[in-house]
Amino acid sequence: MAELAVDVHPVERRSGIGCRLLGAAMAAAWDGSRRCVVAQAGAGSLGDRFLSAQGFRKIFTLRYARFALAGAGPGAGLRSA
């Protein structure tokens, strides 16, 4: 498996650079006997749409949550066995 990160400066977007970078990275992964490439992008972002247009498919979605810790001391909310 290979993990891939491609960033294109906003001024250079829509000029084919991202497609060429991705193509080169995919060729290198293939030449390195990689048969699976993982990429990530924020849901609904330009990167998400780009990856979809290039044939990538979503296999999972990560969700994050924040919890307020104001007033909670060390070990608050933890129970011992």
Side-chain angles (χ1 to χ4, degrees):
M1 180 167 60
E3 187 169 341
L4 173 64
V6 175
D7 291 305
V8 176
H9 190 279
V11 173
E12 303 298 330
R13 290 182 184 149
R14 312 259 338 137
S15 66
I17 290 174
C19 291
R20 290 195 304 272
L21 287 169
L22 180 61
M26 296 294 285
W30 186 260
D31 290 345
S33 299
R34 305 299 196 267
R35 299 297 179 257
C36 179
V37 175
V38 175
Q40 67 180 30
S45 69
L46 292 173
D48 184 20
R49 293 192 293 275
F50 172 76
L51 291 171
S52 180
Q54 300 307 310
F56 280 76
R57 60 186 171 85
K58 291 180 187 176
I59 56 172
F60 63 89
T61 300
L62 298 175
R63 299 189 190 277
Y64 298 93
R66 291 184 193 196
F67 299 97
L69 296 178
L78 301 178
R79 288 182 264 169
S80 59

